[in-house]
Amino acid sequence: MAIRDEILTLLQSEAIRRSVRVRLKTNLGPAITIYDARRPQGASLPMIRAGVVVEDASGARLFAAGGWPETDWPLAAALGAAGAAILFFTVRGIMK
């Protein structure tokens, strides 16, 4: 187990040294940076904090960076409500 810990420590220090950036890309739009070691908050949007955790199939943590931010329910609700309002008015405008 000590060798595994040493390897994980080496990988984590190398990821920090090389300023690892994790980006999420879907077919719905441009890539979004969800973690950037060069920025204290990690995310590309200042109100969104992100952390990266890599686990194996048994749930053992292999790598973690950026902490594990708690869910900000008021912000999530506000963004959900804004998205719903945009969708509602878009559909309403199309239907008229």
Side-chain angles (χ1 to χ4, degrees):
M1 192 74 158
I3 294 174
R4 177 179 176 239
D5 292 338
E6 289 178 19
I7 291 172
L8 294 177
T9 302
L10 176 66
L11 290 174
Q12 187 170 13
S13 64
E14 186 65 16
I16 292 169
R17 184 183 73 78
R18 295 185 64 165
S19 298
V20 169
R21 180 175 56 183
V22 178
R23 301 179 76 197
L24 175 66
K25 173 69 174 97
T26 67
N27 62 337
L28 301 177
I32 299 171
T33 301
I34 59 172
Y35 179 77
D36 190 344
R38 295 172 293 177
R39 295 184 183 170
Q41 292 180 331
S44 58
L45 299 174
M47 69 180 127
I48 298 175
R49 291 181 301 275
V52 176
V53 175
V54 178
E55 299 175 340
D56 64 7
S58 67
R61 184 175 288 194
L62 300 177
F63 176 78
W68 195 253
E70 294 294 321
T71 301
D72 187 353
W73 291 109
L75 177 61
L79 291 174
I86 291 170
L87 180 63
F88 172 77
F89 288 115
T90 301
V91 170
R92 184 175 174 200
I94 292 171
M95 299 302 275
K96 283 194 171 190

Short mmCIF file of all heavy atoms in Angstrom, two decimals, residues 10-70:
data_model
loop_
_atom_site.label_atom_id
_atom_site.label_comp_id
_atom_site.label_asym_id
_atom_site.label_seq_id
_atom_site.Cartn_x
_atom_site.Cartn_y
_atom_site.Cartn_z
N LEU A 10 3.13 11.26 -6.15
CA LEU A 10 3.91 11.71 -7.31
C LEU A 10 3.00 12.24 -8.41
O LEU A 10 3.26 13.30 -8.99
CB LEU A 10 4.77 10.56 -7.84
CG LEU A 10 5.57 10.84 -9.10
CD1 LEU A 10 6.62 11.90 -8.83
CD2 LEU A 10 6.20 9.58 -9.62
N LEU A 11 1.92 11.51 -8.70
CA LEU A 11 0.98 11.96 -9.73
C LEU A 11 0.34 13.29 -9.35
O LEU A 11 0.18 14.18 -10.19
CB LEU A 11 -0.10 10.91 -9.96
CG LEU A 11 0.36 9.63 -10.66
CD1 LEU A 11 -0.78 8.61 -10.68
CD2 LEU A 11 0.83 9.93 -12.06
N GLN A 12 -0.05 13.43 -8.08
CA GLN A 12 -0.69 14.67 -7.65
C GLN A 12 0.28 15.85 -7.73
O GLN A 12 -0.07 16.92 -8.21
CB GLN A 12 -1.23 14.52 -6.24
CG GLN A 12 -2.04 15.70 -5.79
CD GLN A 12 -2.77 15.44 -4.49
OE1 GLN A 12 -2.49 14.47 -3.80
NE2 GLN A 12 -3.70 16.29 -4.16
N SER A 13 1.52 15.67 -7.29
CA SER A 13 2.49 16.76 -7.35
C SER A 13 2.82 17.12 -8.80
O SER A 13 2.99 18.29 -9.12
CB SER A 13 3.76 16.40 -6.58
OG SER A 13 4.40 15.30 -7.18
N GLU A 14 2.87 16.13 -9.67
CA GLU A 14 3.13 16.40 -11.09
C GLU A 14 1.96 17.15 -11.72
O GLU A 14 2.15 18.06 -12.53
CB GLU A 14 3.40 15.09 -11.83
CG GLU A 14 3.81 15.26 -13.26
CD GLU A 14 5.15 15.95 -13.44
OE1 GLU A 14 5.93 16.04 -12.48
OE2 GLU A 14 5.43 16.41 -14.57
N ALA A 15 0.74 16.79 -11.34
CA ALA A 15 -0.44 17.50 -11.87
C ALA A 15 -0.44 18.95 -11.43
O ALA A 15 -0.75 19.85 -12.21
CB ALA A 15 -1.71 16.80 -11.39
N ILE A 16 -0.06 19.21 -10.19
CA ILE A 16 0.00 20.59 -9.70
C ILE A 16 1.15 21.34 -10.37
O ILE A 16 0.99 22.49 -10.79
CB ILE A 16 0.13 20.60 -8.16
CG1 ILE A 16 -1.17 20.08 -7.54
CG2 ILE A 16 0.45 22.00 -7.66
CD1 ILE A 16 -1.08 19.80 -6.07
N ARG A 17 2.31 20.69 -10.50
CA ARG A 17 3.47 21.34 -11.11
C ARG A 17 3.20 21.72 -12.56
O ARG A 17 3.61 22.78 -13.03
CB ARG A 17 4.69 20.41 -11.06
CG ARG A 17 5.97 21.05 -11.59
CD ARG A 17 7.13 20.08 -11.59
NE ARG A 17 7.03 19.07 -12.63
CZ ARG A 17 7.32 19.27 -13.92
NH1 ARG A 17 7.69 20.45 -14.33
NH2 ARG A 17 7.21 18.30 -14.79
N ARG A 18 2.48 20.87 -13.27
CA ARG A 18 2.20 21.13 -14.68
C ARG A 18 0.94 21.96 -14.89
O ARG A 18 0.50 22.17 -16.02
CB ARG A 18 2.09 19.81 -15.44
CG ARG A 18 3.43 19.07 -15.42
CD ARG A 18 3.37 17.86 -16.25
NE ARG A 18 3.14 18.28 -17.64
CZ ARG A 18 3.31 17.48 -18.67
NH1 ARG A 18 3.70 16.26 -18.48
NH2 ARG A 18 3.08 17.90 -19.88
N SER A 19 0.33 22.44 -13.80
CA SER A 19 -0.88 23.27 -13.87
C SER A 19 -1.99 22.57 -14.67
O SER A 19 -2.42 23.03 -15.72
CB SER A 19 -0.58 24.64 -14.46
OG SER A 19 0.32 25.33 -13.65
N VAL A 20 -2.45 21.46 -14.16
CA VAL A 20 -3.48 20.67 -14.82
C VAL A 20 -4.76 21.48 -14.97
O VAL A 20 -5.17 22.22 -14.08
CB VAL A 20 -3.75 19.38 -14.02
CG1 VAL A 20 -4.99 18.66 -14.52
CG2 VAL A 20 -2.55 18.47 -14.07
N ARG A 21 -5.39 21.31 -16.11
CA ARG A 21 -6.69 21.94 -16.38
C ARG A 21 -7.63 20.84 -16.87
O ARG A 21 -7.29 20.07 -17.77
CB ARG A 21 -6.54 23.02 -17.44
CG ARG A 21 -7.84 23.72 -17.77
CD ARG A 21 -7.64 24.84 -18.71
NE ARG A 21 -6.97 24.34 -19.93
CZ ARG A 21 -6.61 25.11 -20.93
NH1 ARG A 21 -6.82 26.39 -20.88
NH2 ARG A 21 -6.03 24.58 -21.99
N VAL A 22 -8.82 20.79 -16.27
CA VAL A 22 -9.83 19.81 -16.67
C VAL A 22 -10.94 20.57 -17.37
O VAL A 22 -11.51 21.51 -16.81
CB VAL A 22 -10.38 19.04 -15.44
CG1 VAL A 22 -11.46 18.06 -15.88
CG2 VAL A 22 -9.25 18.32 -14.71
N ARG A 23 -11.25 20.14 -18.60
CA ARG A 23 -12.30 20.80 -19.38
C ARG A 23 -13.37 19.79 -19.73
O ARG A 23 -13.08 18.62 -19.98
CB ARG A 23 -11.69 21.41 -20.64
CG ARG A 23 -10.60 22.42 -20.30
CD ARG A 23 -9.98 23.02 -21.49
NE ARG A 23 -10.93 24.00 -22.01
CZ ARG A 23 -10.88 24.49 -23.23
NH1 ARG A 23 -9.96 24.09 -24.06
NH2 ARG A 23 -11.76 25.37 -23.62
N LEU A 24 -14.60 20.25 -19.76
CA LEU A 24 -15.74 19.42 -20.11
C LEU A 24 -16.28 19.88 -21.46
O LEU A 24 -16.58 21.06 -21.63
CB LEU A 24 -16.83 19.54 -19.04
CG LEU A 24 -18.14 18.82 -19.32
CD1 LEU A 24 -17.90 17.31 -19.32
CD2 LEU A 24 -19.17 19.19 -18.28
N LYS A 25 -16.36 18.98 -22.41
CA LYS A 25 -16.85 19.30 -23.75
C LYS A 25 -17.97 18.36 -24.11
O LYS A 25 -17.85 17.14 -23.97
CB LYS A 25 -15.70 19.17 -24.76
CG LYS A 25 -16.11 19.33 -26.21
CD LYS A 25 -16.52 20.75 -26.51
CE LYS A 25 -16.80 20.96 -27.99
NZ LYS A 25 -18.22 20.87 -28.33
N THR A 26 -19.09 18.93 -24.51
CA THR A 26 -20.21 18.14 -25.00
C THR A 26 -20.54 18.60 -26.42
O THR A 26 -19.95 19.56 -26.92
CB THR A 26 -21.46 18.32 -24.11
OG1 THR A 26 -21.93 19.67 -24.25
CG2 THR A 26 -21.15 18.04 -22.66
N ASN A 27 -21.51 17.96 -27.02
CA ASN A 27 -21.93 18.38 -28.35
C ASN A 27 -22.89 19.57 -28.30
O ASN A 27 -23.39 20.01 -29.32
CB ASN A 27 -22.58 17.22 -29.10
CG ASN A 27 -23.83 16.73 -28.41
OD1 ASN A 27 -24.01 16.92 -27.22
ND2 ASN A 27 -24.68 16.07 -29.17
N LEU A 28 -23.15 20.11 -27.11
CA LEU A 28 -24.10 21.22 -26.96
C LEU A 28 -23.45 22.59 -26.98
O LEU A 28 -24.15 23.60 -26.99
CB LEU A 28 -24.88 21.05 -25.66
CG LEU A 28 -25.68 19.75 -25.55
CD1 LEU A 28 -26.34 19.66 -24.20
CD2 LEU A 28 -26.70 19.65 -26.67
N GLY A 29 -22.14 22.67 -26.95
CA GLY A 29 -21.51 23.98 -26.94
C GLY A 29 -20.01 23.87 -26.78
O GLY A 29 -19.43 22.78 -26.86
N PRO A 30 -19.37 25.01 -26.51
CA PRO A 30 -17.91 25.00 -26.37
C PRO A 30 -17.47 24.32 -25.08
O PRO A 30 -18.27 24.10 -24.16
CB PRO A 30 -17.57 26.50 -26.35
CG PRO A 30 -18.79 27.16 -25.86
CD PRO A 30 -19.95 26.34 -26.37
N ALA A 31 -16.20 24.02 -24.98
CA ALA A 31 -15.64 23.38 -23.79
C ALA A 31 -15.70 24.35 -22.61
O ALA A 31 -15.49 25.55 -22.76
CB ALA A 31 -14.21 22.95 -24.05
N ILE A 32 -15.96 23.80 -21.43
CA ILE A 32 -16.04 24.58 -20.20
C ILE A 32 -14.95 24.07 -19.26
O ILE A 32 -14.85 22.87 -19.03
CB ILE A 32 -17.42 24.43 -19.53
CG1 ILE A 32 -18.52 24.95 -20.45
CG2 ILE A 32 -17.45 25.17 -18.20
CD1 ILE A 32 -19.91 24.63 -19.96
N THR A 33 -14.16 24.98 -18.72
CA THR A 33 -13.12 24.59 -17.77
C THR A 33 -13.79 24.36 -16.42
O THR A 33 -14.42 25.26 -15.87
CB THR A 33 -12.05 25.69 -17.64
OG1 THR A 33 -11.48 25.91 -18.92
CG2 THR A 33 -10.97 25.29 -16.65
N ILE A 34 -13.65 23.13 -15.90
CA ILE A 34 -14.24 22.84 -14.59
C ILE A 34 -13.20 22.81 -13.48
O ILE A 34 -13.54 22.89 -12.31
CB ILE A 34 -15.04 21.52 -14.61
CG1 ILE A 34 -14.16 20.35 -15.00
CG2 ILE A 34 -16.24 21.63 -15.52
CD1 ILE A 34 -14.83 19.01 -14.84
N TYR A 35 -11.92 22.71 -13.84
CA TYR A 35 -10.86 22.82 -12.85
C TYR A 35 -9.61 23.34 -13.52
O TYR A 35 -9.23 22.89 -14.60
CB TYR A 35 -10.55 21.47 -12.20
CG TYR A 35 -9.43 21.57 -11.20
CD1 TYR A 35 -9.65 22.12 -9.95
CD2 TYR A 35 -8.14 21.19 -11.53
CE1 TYR A 35 -8.63 22.27 -9.04
CE2 TYR A 35 -7.10 21.34 -10.63
CZ TYR A 35 -7.35 21.87 -9.39
OH TYR A 35 -6.33 22.03 -8.50
N ASP A 36 -8.97 24.31 -12.87
CA ASP A 36 -7.72 24.87 -13.37
C ASP A 36 -6.81 25.11 -12.18
O ASP A 36 -7.13 25.90 -11.30
CB ASP A 36 -7.99 26.19 -14.11
CG ASP A 36 -6.78 26.70 -14.87
OD1 ASP A 36 -5.66 26.23 -14.60
OD2 ASP A 36 -6.96 27.57 -15.73
N ALA A 37 -5.69 24.41 -12.12
CA ALA A 37 -4.77 24.51 -10.99
C ALA A 37 -4.17 25.90 -10.85
O ALA A 37 -3.71 26.27 -9.79
CB ALA A 37 -3.66 23.47 -11.12
N ARG A 38 -4.17 26.68 -11.91
CA ARG A 38 -3.59 28.03 -11.86
C ARG A 38 -4.52 29.03 -11.21
O ARG A 38 -4.11 30.12 -10.86
CB ARG A 38 -3.23 28.50 -13.26
CG ARG A 38 -2.12 27.66 -13.89
CD ARG A 38 -1.93 28.02 -15.32
NE ARG A 38 -3.13 27.61 -16.04
CZ ARG A 38 -3.34 27.81 -17.32
NH1 ARG A 38 -2.46 28.41 -18.04
NH2 ARG A 38 -4.45 27.38 -17.90
N ARG A 39 -5.79 28.70 -11.08
CA ARG A 39 -6.77 29.62 -10.48
C ARG A 39 -7.18 29.09 -9.11
O ARG A 39 -7.47 27.91 -8.98
CB ARG A 39 -8.01 29.74 -11.36
CG ARG A 39 -7.71 30.37 -12.68
CD ARG A 39 -8.98 30.55 -13.45
NE ARG A 39 -8.68 31.09 -14.76
CZ ARG A 39 -9.57 31.18 -15.71
NH1 ARG A 39 -10.79 30.77 -15.52
NH2 ARG A 39 -9.24 31.69 -16.87
N PRO A 40 -7.26 29.95 -8.10
CA PRO A 40 -7.61 29.48 -6.76
C PRO A 40 -8.98 28.82 -6.69
O PRO A 40 -9.17 27.85 -5.99
CB PRO A 40 -7.58 30.74 -5.90
CG PRO A 40 -6.91 31.79 -6.71
CD PRO A 40 -6.98 31.37 -8.14
N GLN A 41 -9.95 29.34 -7.44
CA GLN A 41 -11.30 28.78 -7.38
C GLN A 41 -11.46 27.60 -8.31
O GLN A 41 -12.39 26.82 -8.15
CB GLN A 41 -12.34 29.84 -7.73
CG GLN A 41 -12.43 30.92 -6.67
CD GLN A 41 -13.45 31.95 -7.02
OE1 GLN A 41 -13.71 32.20 -8.19
NE2 GLN A 41 -14.05 32.55 -6.02
N GLY A 42 -10.61 27.47 -9.30
CA GLY A 42 -10.66 26.32 -10.18
C GLY A 42 -11.56 26.49 -11.38
O GLY A 42 -11.16 26.21 -12.48
N ALA A 43 -12.77 26.94 -11.21
CA ALA A 43 -13.72 26.98 -12.32
C ALA A 43 -13.53 28.23 -13.17
O ALA A 43 -12.93 29.21 -12.76
CB ALA A 43 -15.14 26.94 -11.79
N SER A 44 -14.09 28.19 -14.39
CA SER A 44 -13.96 29.33 -15.29
C SER A 44 -14.96 30.43 -14.93
O SER A 44 -14.75 31.57 -15.29
CB SER A 44 -14.17 28.89 -16.73
OG SER A 44 -15.43 28.29 -16.88
N LEU A 45 -16.03 30.11 -14.25
CA LEU A 45 -17.00 31.11 -13.80
C LEU A 45 -16.77 31.34 -12.31
O LEU A 45 -16.71 30.39 -11.53
CB LEU A 45 -18.43 30.62 -14.05
CG LEU A 45 -18.79 30.37 -15.50
CD1 LEU A 45 -20.17 29.76 -15.60
CD2 LEU A 45 -18.73 31.66 -16.30
N PRO A 46 -16.66 32.61 -11.88
CA PRO A 46 -16.31 32.87 -10.48
C PRO A 46 -17.33 32.37 -9.47
O PRO A 46 -16.97 32.05 -8.35
CB PRO A 46 -16.17 34.39 -10.42
CG PRO A 46 -16.79 34.91 -11.65
CD PRO A 46 -16.81 33.81 -12.66
N MET A 47 -18.59 32.28 -9.83
CA MET A 47 -19.60 31.83 -8.87
C MET A 47 -19.67 30.31 -8.76
O MET A 47 -20.29 29.78 -7.87
CB MET A 47 -20.97 32.39 -9.24
CG MET A 47 -21.57 31.83 -10.50
SD MET A 47 -23.15 32.57 -10.84
CE MET A 47 -22.90 33.11 -12.50
N ILE A 48 -19.01 29.62 -9.66
CA ILE A 48 -19.05 28.15 -9.64
C ILE A 48 -17.69 27.63 -9.18
O ILE A 48 -16.67 27.94 -9.77
CB ILE A 48 -19.38 27.60 -11.04
CG1 ILE A 48 -20.76 28.08 -11.47
CG2 ILE A 48 -19.31 26.08 -11.04
CD1 ILE A 48 -21.14 27.70 -12.87
N ARG A 49 -17.71 26.88 -8.09
CA ARG A 49 -16.47 26.26 -7.60
C ARG A 49 -16.52 24.79 -7.99
O ARG A 49 -17.57 24.16 -7.99
CB ARG A 49 -16.39 26.41 -6.09
CG ARG A 49 -16.16 27.87 -5.68
CD ARG A 49 -16.06 28.01 -4.19
NE ARG A 49 -17.23 27.56 -3.47
CZ ARG A 49 -18.32 28.29 -3.23
NH1 ARG A 49 -18.36 29.52 -3.66
NH2 ARG A 49 -19.33 27.81 -2.56
N ALA A 50 -15.36 24.23 -8.29
CA ALA A 50 -15.31 22.84 -8.74
C ALA A 50 -14.13 22.12 -8.12
O ALA A 50 -13.12 22.74 -7.80
CB ALA A 50 -15.20 22.78 -10.26
N GLY A 51 -14.29 20.84 -7.96
CA GLY A 51 -13.22 19.98 -7.51
C GLY A 51 -13.21 18.74 -8.39
O GLY A 51 -14.23 18.39 -8.98
N VAL A 52 -12.09 18.11 -8.46
CA VAL A 52 -11.95 16.90 -9.27
C VAL A 52 -11.56 15.75 -8.37
O VAL A 52 -10.62 15.87 -7.58
CB VAL A 52 -10.88 17.09 -10.37
CG1 VAL A 52 -10.67 15.81 -11.14
CG2 VAL A 52 -11.28 18.22 -11.30
N VAL A 53 -12.30 14.66 -8.45
CA VAL A 53 -11.98 13.46 -7.69
C VAL A 53 -11.99 12.29 -8.66
O VAL A 53 -12.95 12.11 -9.41
CB VAL A 53 -13.01 13.21 -6.56
CG1 VAL A 53 -12.73 11.90 -5.87
CG2 VAL A 53 -12.99 14.36 -5.56
N VAL A 54 -10.91 11.52 -8.66
CA VAL A 54 -10.83 10.31 -9.48
C VAL A 54 -10.85 9.13 -8.53
O VAL A 54 -10.04 9.05 -7.61
CB VAL A 54 -9.53 10.30 -10.32
CG1 VAL A 54 -9.43 9.03 -11.13
CG2 VAL A 54 -9.48 11.53 -11.23
N GLU A 55 -11.80 8.22 -8.75
CA GLU A 55 -11.95 7.04 -7.90
C GLU A 55 -11.87 5.78 -8.74
O GLU A 55 -12.20 5.80 -9.92
CB GLU A 55 -13.30 7.08 -7.18
CG GLU A 55 -13.48 8.27 -6.28
CD GLU A 55 -14.86 8.33 -5.67
OE1 GLU A 55 -15.80 7.70 -6.20
OE2 GLU A 55 -15.03 9.02 -4.66
N ASP A 56 -11.48 4.67 -8.10
CA ASP A 56 -11.51 3.40 -8.81
C ASP A 56 -12.89 2.76 -8.64
O ASP A 56 -13.79 3.36 -8.04
CB ASP A 56 -10.38 2.47 -8.35
CG ASP A 56 -10.52 2.06 -6.90
OD1 ASP A 56 -11.54 2.36 -6.26
OD2 ASP A 56 -9.57 1.42 -6.39
N ALA A 57 -13.07 1.57 -9.17
CA ALA A 57 -14.39 0.92 -9.16
C ALA A 57 -14.89 0.64 -7.76
O ALA A 57 -16.10 0.60 -7.52
CB ALA A 57 -14.34 -0.38 -9.97
N SER A 58 -14.00 0.47 -6.80
CA SER A 58 -14.43 0.19 -5.42
C SER A 58 -14.72 1.45 -4.64
O SER A 58 -15.16 1.38 -3.49
CB SER A 58 -13.36 -0.64 -4.70
OG SER A 58 -12.19 0.14 -4.53
N GLY A 59 -14.47 2.62 -5.22
CA GLY A 59 -14.75 3.88 -4.55
C GLY A 59 -13.56 4.47 -3.82
O GLY A 59 -13.67 5.49 -3.17
N ALA A 60 -12.39 3.82 -3.91
CA ALA A 60 -11.19 4.35 -3.28
C ALA A 60 -10.69 5.56 -4.06
O ALA A 60 -10.64 5.54 -5.29
CB ALA A 60 -10.10 3.28 -3.22
N ARG A 61 -10.36 6.62 -3.36
CA ARG A 61 -9.93 7.87 -3.99
C ARG A 61 -8.50 7.72 -4.50
O ARG A 61 -7.60 7.40 -3.76
CB ARG A 61 -10.02 9.01 -3.00
CG ARG A 61 -9.69 10.36 -3.59
CD ARG A 61 -9.90 11.45 -2.60
NE ARG A 61 -11.33 11.62 -2.41
CZ ARG A 61 -11.88 12.66 -1.81
NH1 ARG A 61 -11.12 13.60 -1.32
NH2 ARG A 61 -13.18 12.75 -1.68
N LEU A 62 -8.32 7.95 -5.80
CA LEU A 62 -7.00 7.88 -6.42
C LEU A 62 -6.35 9.25 -6.51
O LEU A 62 -5.14 9.39 -6.38
CB LEU A 62 -7.10 7.27 -7.81
CG LEU A 62 -7.66 5.86 -7.90
CD1 LEU A 62 -7.76 5.43 -9.34
CD2 LEU A 62 -6.81 4.89 -7.10
N PHE A 63 -7.15 10.28 -6.78
CA PHE A 63 -6.63 11.63 -6.95
C PHE A 63 -7.72 12.62 -6.60
O PHE A 63 -8.89 12.39 -6.91
CB PHE A 63 -6.18 11.84 -8.41
CG PHE A 63 -5.73 13.23 -8.72
CD1 PHE A 63 -4.47 13.65 -8.34
CD2 PHE A 63 -6.56 14.11 -9.36
CE1 PHE A 63 -4.04 14.94 -8.61
CE2 PHE A 63 -6.15 15.39 -9.65
CZ PHE A 63 -4.87 15.81 -9.27
N ALA A 64 -7.35 13.70 -5.95
CA ALA A 64 -8.30 14.77 -5.65
C ALA A 64 -7.59 16.10 -5.79
O ALA A 64 -6.43 16.25 -5.41
CB ALA A 64 -8.85 14.61 -4.24
N ALA A 65 -8.28 17.07 -6.38
CA ALA A 65 -7.73 18.42 -6.53
C ALA A 65 -8.87 19.42 -6.44
O ALA A 65 -9.98 19.16 -6.89
CB ALA A 65 -7.02 18.55 -7.86
N GLY A 66 -8.60 20.55 -5.85
CA GLY A 66 -9.59 21.61 -5.78
C GLY A 66 -10.60 21.49 -4.67
O GLY A 66 -11.54 22.26 -4.58
N GLY A 67 -10.44 20.54 -3.78
CA GLY A 67 -11.40 20.38 -2.69
C GLY A 67 -12.70 19.77 -3.18
O GLY A 67 -12.82 19.33 -4.32
N TRP A 68 -13.68 19.72 -2.31
CA TRP A 68 -14.99 19.19 -2.64
C TRP A 68 -16.02 20.20 -2.17
O TRP A 68 -16.46 20.15 -1.02
CB TRP A 68 -15.19 17.83 -1.97
CG TRP A 68 -16.33 17.05 -2.51
CD1 TRP A 68 -17.53 16.84 -1.88
CD2 TRP A 68 -16.42 16.39 -3.76
NE1 TRP A 68 -18.34 16.08 -2.67
CE2 TRP A 68 -17.69 15.78 -3.83
CE3 TRP A 68 -15.56 16.25 -4.84
CZ2 TRP A 68 -18.10 15.05 -4.93
CZ3 TRP A 68 -15.98 15.53 -5.93
CH2 TRP A 68 -17.23 14.94 -5.97
N PRO A 69 -16.42 21.16 -3.02
CA PRO A 69 -17.30 22.24 -2.57
C PRO A 69 -18.70 21.72 -2.23
O PRO A 69 -19.22 20.81 -2.88
CB PRO A 69 -17.35 23.19 -3.77
CG PRO A 69 -16.96 22.36 -4.94
CD PRO A 69 -16.06 21.28 -4.43
N GLU A 70 -19.27 22.31 -1.20
CA GLU A 70 -20.65 21.99 -0.83
C GLU A 70 -21.61 22.57 -1.88
O GLU A 70 -21.32 23.57 -2.52
CB GLU A 70 -20.98 22.58 0.55
CG GLU A 70 -20.18 21.95 1.67
CD GLU A 70 -20.52 20.49 1.88
OE1 GLU A 70 -21.71 20.13 1.77
OE2 GLU A 70 -19.59 19.72 2.14
#
